[in-house]
Amino acid sequence: MASKPPTGDPVQDAPQVEAPKHAAAGLPAIGHTLLMAQQQMGVRRTAQTLLKVNQKNGFDCPGCAWPEGDKRHTAEFCENGAKAVAEEATLRRVTPEFFAAHPLSDLAARSGYWLGQQGRITQPMYLPEGGDRYEAVTWERAFEIIAEELTALDSPDEALFYTSGRTSNEAAFLLQLFAREFGTNNLPDCSNMCHESSGSALTETIGIGKGSVSLEDLHRADLIVIAGQNPGTNHPRMLSALEKAKSAGAKIISVNPLPEAGLEKFKNPQTPQGMIKGAALTDLFLQIRIGGDQALFRLLNKLIVETEGAVDELFVREHTHGFEEFEAAAKEADWDATLEATGLTRTEIERALAMVLASRRTIVCWAMGLTQHKHSVPTIREVVNFLLLRGNIGRPGAGVCPVRGHSNVQGDRTMGIFERPAPAFLDALEKEFGFAPPRHHGYDVVRSIEALRDGRAKVFFAMGGNFVAATPDTEVTEAAMRRASLTVHVSTKLNRSHAVTGRRALILPTLGRTDKDVQHSGRQFVTVEDSMGMVHASRGNLAPASPHLLSEPAIVVRMARATLGARSAVDWAEFERDYATVRDRIARVVPGFEDFNAKVARPGGFQLPHAPRDERRFPTATGKANFTAAPVEVPELPEGRLLLQTLRSHDQYNTTIYGLDDRYRGIKGGRRVVLVNPEDARQLGLADGSYTDLVSEWKDGVERRAPGFRVVHYPTARGCAAAYYPETNVLVPLGSTADVSNTPASKSVVVRFEAALAAGNES
Ligand code: SF4
């Protein structure tokens, strides 16, 4: 029998700490999976869903974007994928009666964990101007309200259309189509906060903003460098691929300020041998200082250039541009400066070099640890330099592998969810639909918050996600959101963003990945694109959580019809009746999707083309792969301060909190903890178990405070601290972003510690 959600009583944040783990998954993962699944879904529904997730005729996991192999296991999911499914397929319901019992002030006082545990929202809800609680509203009235607000704007650019990475290709394509026919490119998305730096650096250097490796490549690599990524929690089934690569002789270098259990050993629950003995993963752990990655790769590149015969000169000559300027810059790299910037030893770097030189097929995988810094774009360019030097792009078993954290974040961008669309995409859209899309760039996430703050944006529409919790500078963002005239959230479950509203607000409950989607023409499926460019179908198999839900595509279609009416050049209605008609349009607008319906009907779907991988053809400004030679940057750290990175616990997926434990790091029953190196703590007078306030410092002179964190002495790199978001997003200044990509610099926040006024608070 599924359990009841936490009720009225606040959930105390009282973290207990034990020794960190040194292996991921195994029996505990099975135990936690079944416990959480049973609590949310009960036994029968647990089986119904978990035997369908990531299967070829099933639904795509609403968790991360890790691909599936062609051969599917009976249990084709990880612990955190099961948690994501359980939270969506929960039997708990949030009804109009719930909203009647919980005024906005109460919802605003609740933690994200408590809100998320209440269950699936069953009906459209409306918060009238001056109202203190949401009330049920009809879909017709909801779309009327949206149309009223949008058509009352002085400019289409006063509207913002945000997309979270769970949105399907079909819904994303329709949302960008609507926004552009409405007249704006204000299409911020969660990619702006995560891999935008990867997209910017890769588009410039290899001509396409996506990873160039397939799952098969990972299995064939002989060296895998994992930088700024914690796959054990954020992409858990990647560990199976690493185990497979290791068993074929591959070596692994992990570059991370934190020792992570999932990088040390993997106890594969799919095999008795795996479960008992497990597989050691990392061969060389480089415990680098936060923000030291560019310096590390620059020095490695110097050493490669200076090693006789180490450079793939034929590849460099035939396929690259800018080598000479890069080579000159690389030779400037300095050992002492690099050791200072990285906190590593000469021996460690020399060991890494030896492993690099012994490799013929190298892959570099990365995530937020590289993308959320001021100098992230130059850092990722340096990673590309590192791979180009030895011809490790467009070779089987080699390449770039930015690992996406949201199930369809890459697909949404491919569908046109981008505030800076390519002219070729707009040309194709105009040719296909017969209207002139706007050509001026729109707002990304940070610009959107600034526009709301400054009154330049008035209507905020979000397709999924939890905007105010996921974004930086929480107090600024929440105040900005409250300036909107209307906020609209298409959601499956409650979250903080529903409690931080504009003058009026709407919650539009939608179908989840696990729900059956039946439209006029019959049962529908949607499609997603994983981190490695595989596009495949997703079909929910459960009766929808309520008869009052609409699918994401239907919501966009009805909003478009209500807002654009007869002035629209698009036959919106057909798209709701049959999603195949959406895919027919995508096939004519988006390169690589020709014959989309036919190709996606194949079991497992199809791989999108990737010129650098497939043909060593680089569609860049020079027509070659570009070496770059940016100056090396290292975060500055004033005396008596530490550099904080915000991160996820193991019981968390983006801003969704599944539980209050972080099992691999030994944290239980609480989230307001700050991990500090024992020697740093001693110097700063921070006793283990004491409580402190975190105060961030930035050039705007504003003091941003996160109160009541329990100090945990933890083996972080010296000078580096770590704490969970969204609790510490309040510390990240809105203006502190990566150059070029404008991604919030959530991984390098300068903090000081002040005696806590009070210990912890609700979680
Ligand atoms: S690895 Fe990612 S996509 Fe796969 S089951 Fe786990 S959370 Fe879901």
Side-chain angles (χ1 to χ4, degrees):
M1 184 42 218
S3 64
K4 292 240 167 303
T7 54
D9 307 331
V11 179
Q12 271 316 310
D13 191 287
Q16 304 304 309
V17 179
E18 55 188 42
K21 301 281 184 293
H22 295 285
L27 214 47
I30 297 176
H32 283 271
T33 295
L34 295 176
L35 177 67
M36 287 206 168
Q38 195 276 332
Q39 284 173 342
Q40 296 280 355
M41 301 188 284
V43 176
R44 184 169 159 278
R45 201 172 170 85
T46 293
Q48 250 185 316
T49 51
L50 295 189
L51 294 175
K52 275 290 184 186
V53 60
N54 291 334
Q55 297 299 334
K56 289 183 178 175
N57 62 352
F59 60 86
D60 183 66
C61 168
C64 81
W66 190 257
E68 289 78 46
D70 189 46
K71 179 176 164 305
R72 305 293 159 97
H73 301 89
T74 307
E76 191 62 50
F77 56 85
C78 72
E79 174 190 342
N80 280 0
K83 291 172 189 169
V85 169
E87 290 250 331
E88 187 194 282
T90 179
L91 291 167
R92 300 169 185 177
R93 296 289 177 264
V94 175
T95 62
E97 291 70 29
F98 171 93
F99 286 102
H102 293 277
L104 202 67
S105 54
D106 175 49
L107 298 178
R110 298 290 174 177
S111 71
Y113 172 64
W114 189 91
L115 291 168
Q117 290 300 307
Q118 301 309 309
R120 292 283 300 272
I121 303 163
T122 61
Q123 281 185 242
M125 301 302 296
Y126 173 49
L127 181 76
E129 181 158 6
D132 76 338
R133 63 196 69 211
Y134 283 96
E135 50 194 54
V137 65
T138 63
W139 281 106
E140 292 66 34
R141 179 66 191 128
F143 293 121
E144 273 171 19
I145 291 166
I146 296 173
E148 282 164 15
E149 290 276 353
L150 289 175
T151 52
L153 295 174
D154 297 332
S155 155
D157 286 330
E158 293 181 340
L160 306 169
F161 298 98
Y162 174 75
T163 304
S164 96
R166 201 200 55 149
T167 304
S168 69
N169 286 339
E170 289 75 9
F173 185 78
L174 292 175
L175 184 63
Q176 64 82 29
L177 180 64
F178 167 65
R180 292 186 168 117
E181 191 173 26
F182 178 68
T184 185
N185 281 316
N186 286 347
L187 289 155
D189 72 325
C190 61
S191 194
N192 295 151
M193 293 183 279
C194 66
H195 271 291
E196 196 68 63
S197 300
S198 307
S200 299
L202 294 177
T203 302
E204 179 198 343
T205 53
I206 66 170
I208 179 173
K210 300 179 179 183
S212 71
V213 303
S214 65
L215 197 52
E216 193 41 46
D217 286 319
L218 212 69
H219 298 156
R220 296 179 62 177
D222 59 18
L223 177 64
I224 301 168
V225 179
I226 304 170
Q229 186 197 358
N230 175 22
T233 287
N234 303 332
H235 317 94
R237 280 182 307 127
M238 178 174 167
L239 303 190
S240 308
L242 296 177
E243 178 193 37
K244 189 166 181 179
K246 288 279 300 194
S247 65
K251 297 291 183 200
I252 294 178
I253 298 175
S254 297
V255 185
N256 203 307
L258 287 177
E260 300 285 13
L263 290 169
E264 290 182 54
K265 178 179 271 192
F266 172 46
K267 291 197 165 184
N268 188 340
Q270 300 273 5
T271 66
Q273 155 95 357
M275 194 98 82
I276 298 153
K277 187 160 170 300
L281 297 178
T282 295
D283 297 279
L284 175 62
F285 172 41
L286 298 178
Q287 185 163 28
I288 198 164
R289 283 207 176 112
I290 290 176
D293 304 84
Q294 184 194 12
L296 169 65
F297 281 98
R298 175 59 61 87
L299 181 65
L300 284 172
N301 291 342
K302 167 192 168 76
L303 300 171
I304 293 169
V305 164
E306 292 175 348
T307 302
E308 186 61 33
V311 174
D312 184 334
E313 289 175 8
L314 179 61
F315 175 83
V316 168
R317 199 169 42 253
E318 289 193 358
H319 296 290
T320 72
H321 173 272
F323 177 75
E324 289 70 27
E325 191 194 348
F326 153 73
E327 182 186 29
K331 287 184 172 170
E332 296 298 310
D334 174 76
W335 266 105
D336 294 341
T338 305
L339 298 181
E340 176 55 33
T342 61
L344 300 173
T345 67
R346 187 178 187 105
T347 308
E348 287 174 318
I349 295 179
E350 286 170 345
R351 276 194 61 199
L353 177 66
M355 294 167 77
V356 170
L357 296 178
S359 162
R360 293 296 308 129
R361 298 179 304 281
T362 301
I363 290 177
V364 179
C365 303
W366 71 84
M368 304 309 101
L370 290 198
T371 66
Q372 296 179 331
H373 298 276
K374 177 180 177 310
H375 59 304
S376 284
V377 173
T379 298
I380 296 161
R381 291 184 193 135
E382 201 62 37
V383 168
V384 173
N385 287 341
F386 169 78
L387 291 165
L388 293 179
L389 272 176
R390 293 176 55 74
N392 280 307
I393 296 205
R395 169 190 292 160
V400 288
C401 185
V403 184
R404 307 283 178 162
H406 217 317
S407 56
N408 198 39
V409 63
Q410 188 160 303
D412 295 338
R413 185 53 61 90
T414 305
M415 290 299 116
I417 297 290
F418 192 25
E419 77 281 353
R420 291 176 281 129
F425 177 86
L426 298 177
D427 294 344
L429 208 61
E430 181 164 359
K431 181 161 171 278
E432 179 63 22
F433 291 99
F435 70 84
R439 299 280 167 167
H440 58 285
H441 287 172
Y443 298 140
D444 62 14
V445 163
V446 168
R447 298 275 176 273
S448 295
I449 297 167
E450 292 166 347
L452 285 164
R453 178 195 63 197
D454 306 340
R456 289 180 279 111
K458 299 185 173 68
V459 174
F460 176 85
F461 176 95
M463 185 63 86
N466 182 2
F467 191 85
V468 296
T471 45
D473 227 339
T474 311
E475 289 174 12
V476 170
T477 299
E478 294 197 350
M481 194 60 78
R482 291 193 170 99
R483 291 201 66 194
S485 57
L486 177 69
T487 51
V488 183
H489 289 275
V490 177
S491 304
T492 52
K493 303 180 60 229
L494 272 181
N495 63 45
R496 173 79 181 156
S497 295
H498 302 130
V500 180
T501 71
R503 275 204 314 281
R504 301 200 281 172
L506 284 164
I507 302 176
L508 305 181
T510 190
L511 296 177
R513 288 272 175 81
T514 53
D515 296 330
K516 264 191 206 129
D517 183 346
V518 179
Q519 300 298 333
H520 200 67
S521 67
R523 192 156 169 206
Q524 304 294 313
F525 66 86
V526 293
T527 61
V528 294
E529 176 188 339
D530 65 34
S531 210
M532 292 179 178
M534 285 295 292
V535 177
H536 57 104
S538 177
R539 293 177 182 79
N541 65 320
L542 299 177
S546 147
H548 306 294
L549 307 184
L550 284 181
S551 70
E552 294 173 332
I555 289 171
V556 178
V557 165
R558 297 189 190 191
M559 171 171 66
R561 297 179 72 186
T563 306
L564 301 170
R567 74 178 174 93
S568 175
V570 177
D571 172 7
W572 287 96
E574 67 165 348
F575 296 144
E576 180 176 344
R577 273 197 300 274
D578 183 352
Y579 302 170
T581 62
V582 183
R583 289 187 285 273
D584 286 339
R585 301 300 197 121
I586 294 172
R588 292 198 287 271
V589 170
V590 183
F593 283 79
E594 300 73 16
D595 300 329
F596 188 3
N597 278 308
K599 287 195 292 196
V600 83
R602 300 177 202 145
F606 65 98
Q607 174 112 56
L608 285 171
H610 190 288
R613 175 198 61 217
D614 305 336
E615 312 153 53
R616 284 189 154 179
R617 183 171 57 79
F618 300 93
T620 63
T622 63
K624 301 267 187 177
N626 292 319
F627 278 105
T628 52
V632 173
E633 295 178 54
V634 179
E636 281 157 31
L637 191 58
E639 191 61 34
R641 305 316 190 242
L642 295 181
L643 203 54
L644 178 100
Q645 61 165 314
T646 66
L647 44 62
R648 291 184 195 173
S649 78
H650 190 62
D651 269 357
Q652 173 182 355
Y653 174 74
N654 281 347
T655 58
T656 302
I657 313 298
Y658 301 131
L660 303 182
D661 300 345
D662 188 3
R663 189 169 79 247
Y664 295 155
R665 298 192 182 110
I667 312 285
K668 282 187 175 321
R671 295 180 46 82
R672 300 187 82 80
V673 296
V674 59
L675 310 182
V676 181
N677 177 286
E679 187 47 32
D680 290 333
R682 189 187 61 72
Q683 289 176 2
L684 294 165
L686 296 168
D688 193 18
S690 65
Y691 277 78
T692 182
D693 287 2
L694 307 177
V695 181
S696 73
E697 301 177 347
W698 199 58
K699 62 185 180 190
D700 64 359
V702 175
E703 293 220 338
R704 295 170 176 83
R705 180 179 298 269
F709 281 71
R710 183 188 187 287
V711 174
V712 176
H713 288 187
Y714 201 84
T716 70
R718 288 299 307 272
C720 305
Y724 308 132
Y725 73 85
E727 290 84 349
T728 47
N729 280 345
V730 65
L731 298 171
V732 183
L734 186 62
S736 173
T737 63
D739 300 335
V740 183
S741 66
N742 209 28
T743 295
S746 308
K747 292 287 187 200
S748 40
V749 185
V750 174
V751 294
R752 70 171 189 270
F753 300 82
E754 291 187 358
L757 305 176
N761 63 13
E762 177 191 322
S763 226

